[in-house]
């Protein structure tokens, strides 16, 4: 695959890749680094890439996987450090863990305020990361209906966050 074909196939995916990376990291600079790393991987593997139906879905999945790989390797590096250095990290981890627990509790409270159908669809897509096809079996809704219900759930959550 030459550069022009690569650009034509993968550069249009950059916006979705960035926003996924931003949601995962919470920082613009880290999101940009993550997207750049994924583009580098795509470029180096361009001749071995599998046939795909959606380049955007493939790229977004790669962003998520690279993010998880980075997080795993950071944890492994922390566990390999001397115990004296770990005490400072442990204090930060306790604070970070407490903040995450607070955020999780707030998110759970917001989700409980949703109607049952919206809560179910949001759990399947947002929390369990199921595709629309996979979640259709459990809800009895068509793909289109699930998308509409999920959109409404997200709008409700945004409205609740703003209130």
């Amino acid at each position: 695959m030459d550069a022009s074909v690569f650009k034509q196939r993968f550069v249009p995916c950059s916006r979705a890749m960035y926003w996924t990376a931003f949601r995962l990291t919470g920082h613009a600079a880290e999101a940009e680094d993550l997207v750049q790393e994924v583009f580098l991987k795509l470029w180096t593997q361009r001749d071995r890439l599998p046939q795909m139906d959606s380049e955007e879905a493939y790229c977004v999945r790669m962003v998520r996987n690279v993010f998880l790989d980075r997080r795993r390797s950071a944890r492994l590096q922390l566990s390999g450090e001397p115990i004296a250095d770990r005490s400072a990290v442990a204090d930060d981890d306790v604070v970070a863990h407490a903040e995450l627990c607070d955020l999780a509790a707030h998110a759970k409270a917001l989700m409980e305020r949703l109607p049952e159908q919206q809560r179910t669809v949001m759990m399947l897509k947002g929390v369990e990361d199921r595709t629309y096809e996979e979640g259709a079996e459990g809800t009895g809704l068509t793909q289109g209906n699930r998308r509409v219900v999920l959109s409404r759930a997200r709008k409700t959550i945004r409205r609740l966050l703003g209130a």
Side-chain angles (χ1 to χ4, degrees):
M1 174 183 322
D2 65 349
S4 63
V5 172
F6 181 84
K7 285 180 186 177
Q8 183 181 15
R9 286 181 65 190
F10 295 106
V11 170
C13 305
S14 62
R15 186 178 188 125
M17 292 167 63
Y18 173 78
W19 286 111
T20 300
F22 185 78
R23 274 186 253 125
L24 291 169
T25 63
H27 300 283
E30 287 181 50
E32 290 169 1
D33 290 344
L34 197 59
V35 170
Q36 187 174 7
E37 184 175 340
V38 170
F39 269 120
L40 181 62
K41 283 185 177 210
L42 285 168
W43 178 253
T44 57
Q45 298 173 1
R46 67 188 177 276
D47 294 326
R48 297 183 313 254
L49 289 174
Q51 188 64 27
M52 57 195 86
D53 295 331
S54 170
E55 282 86 6
E56 184 173 308
Y58 185 81
C59 291
V60 166
R61 179 62 70 168
M62 272 189 79
V63 166
R64 182 177 171 271
N65 290 343
V66 169
F67 170 77
L68 292 174
D69 288 345
R70 279 184 174 185
R71 203 165 80 183
R72 261 186 232 113
S73 68
R75 281 188 190 150
L76 290 175
Q77 287 174 354
L78 286 176
S79 66
E81 292 178 1
I83 294 174
D85 290 344
R86 272 199 223 160
S87 62
V89 173
D91 291 340
D92 289 345
D93 281 347
V94 169
V95 172
H97 181 71
E99 288 176 356
L100 285 175
C101 287
D102 288 345
L103 284 172
H106 185 63
K108 185 177 179 182
L110 289 174
M111 293 274 294
E112 288 173 359
R113 293 176 65 183
L114 291 173
E116 179 65 33
Q117 190 178 49
Q118 288 181 7
R119 183 173 47 247
T120 302
V121 170
M122 190 163 220
M123 287 293 293
L124 290 172
K125 180 67 176 151
V127 177
E128 296 177 14
D129 198 28
R130 292 194 188 177
T131 64
Y132 289 106
E133 297 84 19
E134 293 171 339
E137 303 149 3
T139 60
L141 299 171
T142 65
Q143 279 183 311
N145 287 348
R146 286 199 59 226
R147 290 176 194 267
V148 170
V149 170
L150 182 62
S151 174
R152 289 179 182 160
R154 288 176 175 163
K155 285 179 185 175
T156 302
I157 293 291
R158 280 192 292 272
R159 183 178 47 78
L160 292 171
L161 283 172

